[in-house]
Amino acid sequence: MAGLTDDQIKEAFNLFDADGSGEIDAEEMQLAMKGLGFSDSSRADIEKLLREIDTDGNGCIDYPEFHKMMKAKMAQKDSPEEILKAFHLFDKNKGHITIHDLKEVAKSLGENPNDELLKEMIEVADSDKDGIVSFAEFQAMMLTTVVK
């Protein structure tokens, strides 16, 4: 599984347990999620997550609860279905992603990156150096990228 090791999760827990209480409250949890790359988590999402994960009902998450939740979030983020959806955002039913595909997606988002940047993006994932990114290459890149 891509993502964080158990040691990194423990370090994150300790970092975001700002008061050293051994528990993370909703405010600390929202900062932790953002710091671990889940910036799309709203305060309402965090509070819902706390209610789901908080087995003792005290409104806070202790380390075992945090660890379980992070493993579940990382598995969800890297699920085969999510990776396939992401691939299809770029692929136009050709089975691969080209610089042209990246350019079209960027344009649809109001961006205009130069060709050199797009070429670099392809090169990051293009393990066989054929100038295109297959689904296998895309998936390998997604599963080896560490959550930041």
Side-chain angles (χ1 to χ4, degrees):
M1 170 190 303
L4 304 170
T5 66
D6 290 344
D7 288 341
Q8 289 170 320
I9 293 172
K10 181 66 173 169
E11 286 177 38
F13 179 83
N14 290 336
L15 178 66
F16 293 108
D17 178 18
D19 60 6
S21 66
E23 297 177 321
I24 297 175
D25 62 21
E27 185 175 323
E28 291 170 325
M29 176 57 76
Q30 189 162 20
L31 289 172
M33 296 297 285
K34 284 183 181 178
L36 295 171
F38 299 101
S39 59
D40 59 340
S41 299
S42 70
R43 179 66 179 224
D45 291 338
I46 297 298
E47 289 174 358
K48 180 181 177 207
L49 188 59
L50 276 171
R51 286 189 300 276
E52 292 171 1
I53 302 298
D54 180 23
T55 58
D56 61 9
N58 69 350
C60 296
I61 295 179
D62 60 21
Y63 178 69
E65 293 166 334
F66 181 80
H67 184 269
K68 180 180 177 182
M69 182 268 314
M70 289 307 302
K71 289 291 190 180
K73 284 292 270 184
M74 286 185 296
Q76 178 184 28
K77 187 173 184 174
D78 293 334
S79 74
E81 295 83 15
E82 291 299 314
I83 293 171
L84 186 59
K85 280 185 204 175
F87 182 77
H88 286 306
L89 290 174
F90 299 97
D91 172 42
K92 303 303 179 205
N93 296 318
K94 300 180 308 274
H96 59 268
I97 299 170
T98 65
I99 289 175
H100 178 75
D101 295 330
L102 292 179
K103 188 177 279 191
E104 289 299 312
V105 171
K107 281 182 186 177
S108 73
L109 296 172
E111 300 293 328
N112 189 21
N114 64 45
D115 286 349
E116 189 60 35
L117 176 61
L118 297 174
K119 183 179 175 187
E120 288 175 22
M121 292 171 70
I122 292 288
E123 288 172 355
V124 166
D126 184 18
S127 60
D128 64 8
K129 307 301 179 204
D130 63 358
I132 59 176
V133 177
S134 67
F135 177 70
E137 289 170 324
F138 184 83
Q139 185 175 34
M141 178 201 59
M142 295 298 290
L143 292 175
T144 59
T145 302
V146 176
V147 177
K148 293 184 179 181

